[in-house]
Amino acid sequence: MTIQILEQIIERHGKEIYSFCLRLTNKKETAEELYQDTWLYACKNLDKIDDDRNVRSYLLSVAIHHWQNQKRKYAWRKRIIPETEYREEADGEQVDIVEEGLSKY
C-alpha cells in the first residue's frame, strides 16, 4: 500500500475514526492523542492494511486496542502512585486540594 492510498483512507474514514475516539475517551485532548496513535500505527503497518477488505473496522480495532492499553497503563500507574486528598488553609479559608500522580483520562 502506498502513501497516496493511505491519504485516501484518511479522507474516507478520518472523521468517523475521530468521532469514535471521542466517544471512547469522552475528552477532546485524549481523543486527539488516540486518533494520532491510531494513524501512526496505520502508517507503520501499511502492509497489514488491505484496501480490498474492511479498512474502517481494522482502524476501529486499532483505536480500541490503543485505548485499552492506555487505560491499563493508567490503572497500573494509579496503583503505584495513588491520589491523595488533604485539606489546607489558604488565607484563613479551608481549601480542598487533590494531589494526583498522573492526569486522569
Side-chain angles (χ1 to χ4, degrees):
M1 177 178 285
T2 65
I3 296 297
Q4 290 80 17
I5 294 174
L6 182 64
E7 287 175 354
Q8 291 173 357
I9 292 171
I10 291 171
E11 285 179 26
R12 204 174 323 138
H13 302 293
K15 289 180 183 178
E16 194 173 1
I17 300 298
Y18 178 75
S19 65
F20 181 76
C21 292
L22 193 57
R23 273 186 256 130
L24 273 178
T25 62
N26 293 323
K27 278 188 148 182
K28 184 179 177 182
E29 296 83 17
T30 310
E32 290 172 356
E33 184 179 326
L34 180 60
Y35 179 75
Q36 290 175 2
D37 288 343
T38 301
W39 288 112
L40 182 62
Y41 183 85
C43 288
K44 287 181 181 178
N45 297 293
L46 283 176
D47 55 329
K48 291 184 180 179
I49 299 175
D50 186 5
D51 197 31
D52 297 332
R53 292 189 157 180
N54 194 347
V55 177
R56 184 178 137 270
S57 67
Y58 174 76
L59 294 170
L60 292 175
S61 67
V62 169
I64 290 170
H65 178 73
H66 280 283
W67 176 240
Q68 288 173 338
N69 280 344
Q70 286 180 2
K71 286 186 355 182
R72 194 176 304 119
K73 286 178 187 177
Y74 174 72
W76 178 254
R77 290 176 184 155
K78 191 173 178 180
R79 276 184 247 137
I80 294 171
I81 306 171
E83 296 175 358
T84 57
E85 208 173 305
Y86 60 95
R87 298 189 57 80
E88 182 179 283
E89 284 190 37
D91 298 329
E93 294 182 26
Q94 292 277 326
V95 179
D96 287 330
I97 298 175
V98 176
E99 192 176 90
E100 299 181 45
L102 298 170
S103 63
K104 290 184 179 180
Y105 281 114

